[in-house]
Amino acid sequence: MECQECHKRPAALHFTQVINGEKTEVYVCEVCANEKGYMSYPEEGYSLHHLLSGLFNSTFESIQSQSGSQDKQEELSCPQCDMTLSEFKRIGKFGCPTCYETFSDSLDAIFRRVHSGNLTHHGKIPARIGGSMRVQKQVDEYKDELQHLINNEAFEEAAKVRDKIKELEEQRRGDDR
Amino acid sequence: MTLQQFMNEAISPWMREEGPDSDIVLSTRIRLARNFAQYSFPIIASENNLQHISTFIQQEYEDQTFQDYRDFLFVPIEDLTPVERRVLVEKHLISPHLAEKNHVSAVLISKNEQVSIMVNEEDHLRLQLYFPGFQLNHALTKVFELDDWLEEKIDYAFDEKRGYLTGCPTNVGTGMRASVMMHLPALSWTKQIKRMIPAINQLGLVVRGIYGEGSEATGNIFQISNQITLGKSEVDIVNDLESVVRELIEHERNARNYMMEQSSTHLEDRIYRSYGVMAYSRIIESKEAAKCLSDVRLGIDLGIIENVSRNILNELMVLTQPGFLQQYAKKTLTPNERDVLRASLIRERVQLET
């Protein structure tokens, strides 16, 4: 059989194309297959997102089967962007920052799977808008340290850490005024 | 400054400097995903809102300079031809996803191409910072400074519990993807890399081929990056990545030494054959070109091939991609025509050195 594109070289490859449900058979040589793009496939193949939305669905299904009849409840939707829970399930993406609050009940199960069991952020805090959060984080860290020192009866060290906490808390009250 | 600079030079200015461990690590990149608190994510945001963001970025940051990253050029994606978009993807300045967008997407690029900030990709902002060689800790310090500089004027979507909020649940928390591009020919040939990948995955890190998601490793170039963004601090993530990359560097060096001791003639033969193909072939497909480039670069690193600069791999890897070839030819080319032009550019580049 000759190549259906160039009608010169022998056909070496056989493609079946399905466009709008209609099936066509193509026989082409290797050169034409390359040049006419038969060998290329869509850039966005089976991506992480496809895997993810599959994963969401199974997570949601298990939540739904636990909580009973989901159908009777009104569909949860985000007040900020109108994203619904089923849409979120389908695309596996959030619509806006508020979605994190709207769908918060469903998120732990997802985050646990995507982030190896982790649920809370332990990294950078924005320098400007996170000012008080930054101080709070430092205070929390000192408090942990303080507890640890007291447990080990290192009271001298503990006193130093206690003073640091005091200093930070006073500083914060100063900022609030 | 104009866009033409980015289009005509295959190799970004920052790549010309030699970084630490650059016999194996080609580059280090850190990317941060950031969003404006008051707008929906690009996937569903109104065109009006996205336009606001794009205009804001242009007004505040076009032609600005931050530290060594000078004269930011603001490029709306819709102003670019398909070939120009492809060139920016091949230079890793924008993602394939951004290249497909039309309205209200843009990119901000520093003159030395070390910083690129994608606007209205999957997130409102995607900051990327590149360094030559292996310098993760330095890159992290610098990207934090850049982030703080941007944050002076932008209210980020941030939540105390979940961290930086992103369009996709896979990026929430730090919003950070740190990655290291490595040339690992000896580990690939000895099939050691295949055995190491599962172990690396268990640490929450991923190993990918050169052009990101879904592609196979061309030319023995691998990208190692973090997968998890929630629950671990940026410093911890970078330290984990650092130790794995150190391990890979050591194994690659050992494997190279072993090959030199055990079968130096075979190795030399392979390297010189590839050198011959690069110097004399008239038609070369991208896959073969990538293989030859990898061989020759290894030859340079091992001192077998002299008088050819190390940058040949970085440069020709980009220059011989379809987008760049067509930018060079100033017209669209069939795959066959590309193979011919690719061969001639490689010959020219090799002759330039000798």
Side-chain angles (χ1 to χ4, degrees):
Chain A
M1 181 179 282
E2 68 176 25
C3 170
Q4 293 177 358
E5 289 285 353
C6 62
H7 301 288
K8 279 183 245 155
R9 289 172 286 258
L13 297 155
H14 173 210
F15 292 90
T16 309
Q17 290 183 314
V18 182
I19 299 164
N20 294 331
E22 244 178 78
K23 213 165 123 181
T24 28
E25 310 262 326
V26 190
Y27 295 87
V28 287
C29 68
E30 229 171 299
V31 179
C32 290
N34 269 322
E35 298 211 345
K36 307 288 176 187
Y38 288 104
M39 303 289 266
S40 68
Y41 46 88
E43 293 262 316
E44 283 210 30
Y46 193 86
S47 70
L48 182 67
H49 303 130
H50 294 84
L51 272 175
L52 261 183
S53 60
L55 187 143
F56 285 163
N57 283 321
S58 67
T59 305
F60 279 111
E61 272 155 25
S62 69
I63 291 169
Q64 286 176 6
S65 60
Q66 279 162 19
S67 64
S69 53
Q70 180 75 18
D71 302 342
K72 286 174 192 163
Q73 292 175 21
E74 259 194 39
E75 168 112 88
L76 189 62
S77 75
C78 179
Q80 182 73 36
C81 69
D82 297 330
M83 172 79 78
T84 62
L85 187 60
S86 53
E87 180 74 355
F88 172 57
K89 274 158 56 177
R90 197 178 59 78
I91 60 175
K93 302 271 170 78
F94 294 104
C96 73
T98 312
C99 286
Y100 280 84
E101 281 167 49
T102 313
F103 306 127
S104 75
D105 287 348
S106 315
L107 295 184
D108 279 5
I110 295 166
F111 289 163
R112 204 172 276 132
R113 294 173 91 159
V114 177
H115 297 288
S116 298
N118 297 322
L119 298 175
T120 48
H121 177 57
H122 286 291
K124 190 173 194 270
I125 293 172
R128 185 174 52 81
I129 63 161
S132 63
M133 274 185 247
R134 282 195 163 189
V135 177
Q136 185 59 47
K137 194 182 169 202
Q138 184 70 62
V139 169
D140 289 346
E141 279 170 15
Y142 281 147
K143 280 185 177 164
D144 285 348
E145 199 184 333
L146 182 66
Q147 198 55 51
H148 183 73
L149 291 169
I150 292 171
N151 291 345
N152 291 317
E153 299 183 13
F155 298 114
E156 230 173 276
E157 295 288 311
K160 281 182 198 159
V161 174
R162 187 201 56 209
D163 289 347
K164 282 185 192 165
I165 296 173
K166 233 174 156 180
E167 200 180 306
L168 279 177
E169 287 184 333
E170 268 166 28
Q171 185 190 320
R172 190 162 47 174
R173 271 194 292 278
D175 288 345
D176 287 345
R177 266 198 299 268
Chain B
M1 185 178 51
T2 65
L3 190 64
Q4 283 318 306
Q5 180 203 332
F6 299 137
M7 295 298 161
N8 294 336
E9 290 281 312
I11 182 164
S12 299
W14 62 266
M15 287 165 106
R16 295 193 183 278
E17 280 167 43
E18 196 134 304
D21 300 301
S22 58
D23 56 331
I24 292 171
V25 179
L26 303 177
S27 64
T28 301
R29 179 194 74 149
I30 296 191
R31 183 215 78 191
L32 299 178
R34 296 289 185 256
N35 287 281
F36 286 67
Q38 71 269 40
Y39 298 118
S40 291
F41 298 133
I43 190 170
I44 60 159
S46 68
E47 205 161 306
N48 209 2
N49 282 349
L50 294 177
Q51 190 60 59
H52 271 295
I53 292 170
S54 178
T55 309
F56 176 85
I57 296 293
Q58 180 169 20
Q59 280 171 353
E60 295 295 333
Y61 302 106
E62 186 172 34
D63 299 328
Q64 293 291 303
T65 288
F66 177 69
Q67 298 183 348
D68 297 337
Y69 320 122
R70 312 191 70 81
D71 309 324
F72 284 110
L73 182 73
F74 181 86
V75 186
I77 298 302
E78 60 182 333
D79 290 0
L80 301 173
T81 65
V83 168
E84 286 172 332
R85 292 176 196 205
R86 189 144 189 185
V87 166
L88 293 186
V89 172
E90 287 165 4
K91 293 182 84 174
H92 300 285
L93 289 168
I94 64 172
S95 64
H97 182 56
L98 192 80
E100 278 170 23
K101 295 217 165 190
N102 262 315
H103 306 297
V104 299
S105 284
V107 63
L108 204 60
I109 308 172
S110 72
K111 190 174 182 176
N112 63 359
E113 298 174 34
Q114 235 180 319
V115 173
S116 91
I117 301 171
M118 290 187 270
V119 182
N120 294 332
E121 206 241 25
E122 185 180 282
D123 293 295
H124 295 144
L125 299 176
R126 288 260 174 119
L127 297 55
Q128 300 193 106
L129 182 53
Y130 284 96
F131 281 93
F134 186 31
Q135 15 191 349
L136 270 172
N137 286 302
H138 183 57
L140 185 63
T141 308
K142 286 292 159 189
V143 84
F144 273 5
E145 288 171 11
L146 179 70
D147 185 38
D148 291 343
W149 178 65
L150 290 171
E151 202 237 341
E152 284 172 15
K153 289 174 185 164
I154 300 169
D155 286 345
Y156 281 153
F158 182 83
D159 177 78
E160 216 174 328
K161 185 177 174 200
R162 306 294 192 188
Y164 291 93
L165 306 180
T166 54
C168 184
T170 53
N171 293 315
V172 71
T174 61
M176 181 182 81
R177 200 75 67 204
S179 58
V180 174
M181 196 85 87
M182 305 182 81
H183 182 224
L184 303 172
L187 288 183
S188 309
W189 296 353
T190 55
K191 308 263 190 280
Q192 282 188 65
I193 188 75
K194 277 199 176 140
R195 282 187 283 135
M196 294 170 85
I197 288 174
I200 296 171
N201 290 343
Q202 281 181 347
L203 293 166
L205 303 173
V206 234
V207 183
R208 286 202 191 102
I210 180 174
Y211 278 92
E213 262 173 77
S215 56
E216 271 192 27
T218 25
N220 301 318
I221 297 176
F222 295 86
Q223 188 192 52
I224 328 290
S225 59
N226 65 299
Q227 178 80 337
I228 293 163
T229 56
L230 187 66
K232 273 171 41 172
S233 72
E234 291 88 346
V235 174
D236 286 346
I237 292 170
V238 160
N239 286 342
D240 284 356
L241 184 58
E242 166 114 18
S243 62
V244 165
V245 172
R246 282 253 162 268
E247 197 74 17
L248 282 167
I249 291 174
E250 206 189 301
H251 276 82
E252 170 68 20
R253 289 209 176 114
N254 289 342
R256 287 181 184 187
N257 288 338
Y258 181 80
M259 285 166 68
M260 277 296 270
E261 281 163 18
Q262 295 298 314
S263 53
S264 63
T265 312
H266 279 100
L267 190 61
E268 274 183 42
D269 181 67
R270 179 177 172 141
I271 288 166
Y272 276 118
R273 275 171 190 275
S274 287
Y275 186 76
V277 170
M278 284 174 62
Y280 296 108
S281 76
R282 293 309 195 252
I283 297 169
I284 191 166
E285 284 180 18
S286 61
K287 212 170 172 185
E288 189 185 7
K291 176 200 166 282
C292 293
L293 279 167
S294 171
D295 289 347
V296 168
R297 167 69 194 245
L298 179 65
I300 296 166
D301 288 334
L302 292 174
I304 293 170
I305 291 178
E306 288 169 347
N307 309 322
V308 179
S309 82
R310 257 186 186 176
N311 261 331
I312 196 162
L313 174 70
N314 306 14
E315 190 173 346
L316 285 177
M317 258 337 245
V318 179
L319 191 64
T320 56
Q321 297 288 321
F324 228 101
L325 290 174
Q326 297 181 72
Q327 169 69 16
Y328 185 87
K330 305 259 178 280
K331 60 174 184 176
T332 33
L333 302 170
T334 64
N336 204 4
E337 291 171 330
R338 293 206 291 261
D339 294 346
V340 172
L341 180 60
R342 182 178 295 116
S344 104
L345 283 177
I346 292 175
R347 282 202 312 275
E348 211 174 282
R349 181 66 177 73
V350 171
Q351 272 164 16
L352 209 72
E353 301 268 352
T354 46

